[in-house]
Amino acid sequence: MRAIVDRLAADDFTGRRVGTPGGRAAASWLAELFGELGAEVRFDEFALAGAVREVYATPRLRFDDGENVTDLVFRRDFCEHLATAELGDARDARLAHPDGAVAGAWVLVDGWSPEAAADAAGRGAAGLLIPRGTDAAGWMPKMIAGPPVVDIPVLAVRTGLHARMGRSVGTGRVTATVPVRAVDVTAQNVVAEFRPPGAGVNVLLTAHFDGVGDDPAYRLPAACDNASGVAATIEAARLLHTELPPGVGLSVALLDAEEAGAHGSAHHAPQVAPGTYVVNLDGAAQLSSAAVEAGGAAEALLAALDRAGRGLGVPLRAEAMPSDNRRYAAADLPSIGIGMGMPGYQTPAETSDRVEDATLIAAASLVHATVADLVSTTAPDPD
């Protein structure tokens, strides 16, 4: 599992964003690994139009408060807002509040709303600056999917800095670029069948392998989200393949484009046989307790998970898990989503050394024990 995490977080996979050479290379490597484990593997491609926001050059933001000029640090002091219009060339303008004269100005607003963006664009503003917090390490996590694009450039600025800019209205100026665009991509799920579906219990293990991708100036290894979940899922499948009784179906889907809106699972879920039990693992890096969300007719699956957690000493808690499990639940498949922590979430600090060996073992053991219990308690009696 450690080797899988390290490999997926390596430089040549460049953050594994959907539709990139690094993402496709990661999918090919995972397919080879499944083949070595004895599974029948296929790629399942699908197109995504305009679903991904791509930062194609490092955005710039220079703040002149009338006395000092500061070049701000991308992802530390500011970042792109996902609804932003593209701004490739630098735009220099004064600062303004929304209730003042905004024509030709960068406007400081207290929060995001499409109505405020439309109002500012209609009044001829140069762009919007909204406040945003950072994580505990001072990073602004990266995302690649969000609200519809508006007709004006939008940047998110660290909260304290945003307040400082507000105090300089009348004397302050901002120069900025927002080189962000929506792109069309081709995504690629990796589906591995270890045991064909049968008349008895059929199980699908899932984890997304994509990340948000590197920035031009930063590596984002995506070790915790979700190389860790991929590694633990593969290990659980490896063990189950050799242990499950005949007639039990076992497949693994490593999903693309989760970071772009869970499109990989949305594409795959309609292909899954009705009644298949789905276990999705998103994050297996730092365990305090495992977050669990159930969907569909998942009572038997939840009961098996509860018994497995108690037997292994892995504490479980009910918590929202907005990941691929929801797409399978929406397709009326009994499903659970499990999460065990993502330190450094979607920042350059999400490195493979942040993934704990003990959590990888706990995650693989929990999935393995859950499926083994489910099969033993729900499989029909051969007599």
Side-chain angles (χ1 to χ4, degrees):
M1 288 187 284
R2 169 59 57 190
I4 291 171
V5 171
D6 289 345
R7 183 69 190 98
L8 288 175
D11 292 354
D12 52 333
F13 289 157
T14 62
R16 308 188 308 279
R17 200 208 77 196
V18 58
T20 62
R24 288 190 290 272
S28 295
W29 181 77
L30 289 166
E32 292 176 5
L33 180 57
F34 276 134
E36 293 170 2
L37 294 176
E40 293 188 10
V41 189
R42 65 181 176 89
F43 294 110
D44 187 13
E45 290 193 351
F46 56 99
L48 288 178
V52 174
R53 315 292 162 79
E54 177 180 75
V55 179
Y56 60 87
T58 302
R60 291 183 289 140
L61 182 59
R62 173 172 290 180
F63 173 40
D64 180 354
D65 66 4
E67 296 181 0
N68 299 293
V69 178
T70 306
D71 287 316
L72 304 177
V73 180
F74 182 54
R75 297 224 182 278
R76 291 289 197 179
D77 297 319
F78 76 102
C79 69
E80 78 283 9
H81 190 281
L82 290 170
T84 187
E86 181 180 0
L87 178 63
D89 296 326
R91 181 172 293 175
D92 174 75
R94 61 185 177 84
L95 290 167
H97 292 302
D99 55 356
V102 303
W106 284 96
V107 182
L108 294 147
V109 294
D110 291 336
W112 167 252
S113 77
E115 294 78 14
D119 176 72
R123 296 163 64 195
L128 289 184
L129 302 171
I130 67 169
R132 180 177 171 180
T134 64
D135 69 7
W139 290 104
M140 293 181 175
K142 179 181 180 181
M143 292 175 282
I144 60 172
V149 174
V150 295
D151 295 327
I152 189 171
V154 187
L155 285 170
V157 180
R158 183 166 44 83
T159 302
L161 183 57
H162 188 273
R164 182 181 155 206
M165 289 179 171
R167 294 191 293 270
S168 74
V169 167
T171 59
R173 299 186 69 85
V174 155
T175 305
T177 64
V178 196
V180 178
R181 61 193 172 201
V183 294
D184 299 339
V185 299
T186 299
Q188 188 176 57
N189 293 334
V190 183
V191 182
E193 184 180 277
F194 284 89
R195 292 158 168 261
V201 177
N202 295 306
V203 176
L204 171 67
L205 306 182
T206 65
H208 75 89
F209 72 89
D210 65 306
V212 293
D214 289 349
D215 280 336
Y218 291 118
R219 280 241 55 225
L220 285 92
C224 305
D225 180 22
N226 187 36
S228 64
V230 168
T233 297
I234 291 173
E235 176 64 4
R238 183 186 71 82
L239 296 170
L240 290 165
H241 178 45
T242 63
E243 297 171 3
L244 290 176
V248 176
L250 176 65
S251 295
V252 177
L254 299 184
L255 302 161
D256 206 355
E258 192 272 347
E259 302 293 0
H263 291 281
S265 48
H267 176 76
H268 181 245
Q271 305 173 36
V272 180
T276 298
Y277 293 95
V278 182
V279 180
N280 181 66
L281 184 58
D282 196 351
Q286 188 178 70
L287 175 64
S288 55
S289 59
V292 177
E293 177 179 306
E299 290 82 0
L301 187 54
L302 269 176
L305 175 65
D306 180 65
R307 288 187 292 267
R310 291 174 187 275
L312 293 166
V314 176
L316 309 177
R317 70 183 188 278
E319 185 173 307
M321 278 292 297
S323 185
D324 289 305
N325 45 285
R326 292 187 174 179
R327 298 292 196 175
Y328 293 103
D332 293 326
L333 296 166
S335 61
I336 53 173
I338 304 171
M340 293 190 179
M342 300 175 181
Y345 174 70
Q346 294 182 345
T347 74
E350 196 188 326
T351 50
S352 54
D353 62 295
R354 306 291 297 276
V355 179
E356 299 173 347
D357 289 347
T359 302
L360 287 172
I361 293 168
S365 300
L366 183 65
V367 173
H368 168 263
T370 297
V371 174
D373 183 285
L374 176 74
V375 170
S376 68
T377 56
T378 61
D381 189 331
D383 296 331

